[in-house]
Amino acid sequence: MTTLNHYLSEKRSAVLAREALIDAGTAAPVALQATVSAEGRSGVRRIRIRDHQVISDSPPDFAGYNLGPSSPELQLGVLGSCVTHIFLIQAAHRQVPVESLAVEVSGKIDPRGGRPGYEDIPIYPHDIGYTVHLVSPAAKEDVDALFEAVEKTCPILNLLKHPQQIRAEIRHTRSVASAESAVGAERTEPVIS
């Protein structure tokens, strides 16, 4: 069985190169963007990020076709992905050997949330937690320090722990044809309907 240690040596080079840019004062914020469109007839959501596409859908009991995870499930997956990645970054940076790593994320969402009689139940995913399954010959002190660094530096974990205000706007068009031409003018790929 191969371990993550070879990858960690490559990751360490990338971490050190990024830190050199920060130390030199040449690092800058990175703009992030995702575009999501809903398809006609199915309601399937296509999430486009850079050159990648993820499909989000609802389970059949909520008029979906089960073609992909729901948005709350994706949120848990994003948290798990980020925690895993930051574990790898911090392990590479701290030179903590890792043979294997898996992060299990759980939470709840209650369809009754916020409705009359259920005002105390959140409308959003809650009771979120994660368990890290780490195989490493490292000393307990090194693993504890690694875990503390992950908790301190994981962007998505900290976003969820310390939410921020989100800007929002709506651009309303009264017909599909004019909406397609407006969206088409803003991006080079065809609109999916």
Side-chain angles (χ1 to χ4, degrees):
M1 180 175 121
T2 61
T3 68
L4 286 166
N5 291 314
H6 176 74
Y7 172 75
L8 290 180
S9 67
E10 293 177 25
K11 181 61 99 176
R12 181 168 171 73
S13 297
V15 168
L16 294 175
R18 180 173 281 193
E19 285 184 357
L21 291 174
I22 294 168
D23 292 343
T26 57
V30 176
L32 305 174
Q33 183 173 348
T35 303
V36 182
S37 60
E39 292 194 4
R41 294 188 52 90
S42 70
V44 167
R45 282 89 59 205
R46 290 189 183 271
I47 304 166
R48 295 180 190 276
I49 302 168
R50 291 186 284 130
D51 296 330
H52 308 285
Q53 176 176 273
V54 177
I55 293 178
S56 178
D57 194 10
S58 301
D61 69 343
F62 203 44
Y65 295 91
N66 208 28
L67 297 174
S70 67
S71 299
E73 291 168 321
L74 283 170
Q75 180 62 63
L76 296 185
V78 167
L79 173 60
S81 174
C82 196
V83 167
T84 301
H85 188 218
I86 300 304
F87 255 98
L88 295 172
I89 290 170
Q90 289 295 334
H93 181 66
R94 297 164 177 275
Q95 295 182 297
V96 174
V98 175
E99 293 179 14
S100 70
L101 172 66
V103 175
E104 194 176 320
V105 184
S106 62
K108 295 178 186 172
I109 192 159
D110 192 324
R112 302 171 299 175
R115 293 185 178 260
Y118 300 97
E119 293 86 359
D120 293 340
I121 297 175
I123 62 169
Y124 46 84
H126 56 282
D127 292 336
I128 297 172
Y130 70 94
T131 302
V132 179
H133 302 273
L134 176 70
V135 177
S136 171
K140 181 181 182 331
E141 308 82 60
D142 293 337
V143 171
D144 290 346
L146 174 62
F147 182 59
E148 184 179 323
V150 169
E151 286 270 311
K152 182 179 178 183
T153 62
C154 180
I156 300 301
L157 177 62
N158 282 286
L159 172 65
L160 293 173
K161 285 182 175 181
H162 311 286
Q164 62 174 307
Q165 293 292 326
I166 297 176
R167 297 178 314 277
E169 69 177 270
I170 186 166
R171 295 182 183 174
H172 176 223
T173 305
R174 294 181 62 98
S175 75
V176 173
S178 56
E180 288 177 350
S181 65
V183 170
E186 293 177 10
R187 58 184 214 191
T188 58
E189 56 194 47
V191 174
I192 298 169
S193 58

